[in-house]
Amino acid sequence: MQRAIDDKLVRSEQTYDLQCLGVVLGQVFARQTPLKWVTVEDQFGRDLALQYPGTTVIVFPLTMISKRVEDGREIDVAAIYRTVAAHVEEMKDDPEYKR
């Protein structure tokens, strides 16, 4: 995935394809952490997300890569994974996010 991004195989206007890379990243989260796939519905529609069970901690991996590419930022997929996983780990025990 990192190589595809580095080699610019997917351009910033290819939002759907970039979000597919986000699905792959989400699958890594789902396999390596307790996060589970859920559907989140709000006034803008429905989106796939990952939620830490028993909490309101939700992350949206589909757009983690696409937004960065569209903004022209450098992307380090491993760093995104580590950062998000660390934040989820901190938030899951916070009473503010308990159900």
Side-chain angles (χ1 to χ4, degrees):
M1 190 166 37
Q2 184 68 55
R3 181 138 202 190
I5 293 166
D6 291 345
D7 291 349
K8 299 186 182 354
L9 298 179
V10 183
R11 296 180 309 279
S12 61
E13 65 273 7
Q14 294 175 286
T15 303
Y16 179 79
D17 295 334
L18 290 168
Q19 289 180 353
C20 288
L21 292 177
V23 170
V24 174
L25 178 59
Q27 279 297 100
V28 174
F29 279 115
R31 290 188 186 269
Q32 301 294 320
T33 71
L35 293 168
K36 303 292 181 210
W37 284 107
V38 295
T39 302
V40 176
E41 191 166 349
D42 62 16
Q43 68 269 24
F44 302 109
R46 296 166 47 126
D47 286 304
L48 284 176
L50 291 165
Q51 181 175 27
Y52 196 95
T55 73
T56 59
V57 176
I58 296 176
V59 296
F60 294 87
L62 274 67
T63 56
M64 287 181 185
I65 294 172
S66 63
K67 285 183 178 182
R68 286 169 174 82
V69 170
E70 290 165 359
D71 291 345
R73 294 187 275 166
E74 290 294 317
I75 299 163
D76 181 340
V77 176
I80 292 169
Y81 176 85
R82 286 190 305 271
T83 301
V84 171
H87 278 82
V88 167
E89 190 62 29
E90 289 173 20
M91 294 170 68
K92 73 175 178 64
D93 295 323
D94 187 327
E96 181 179 337
Y97 299 105
K98 293 289 182 187
R99 282 192 179 194

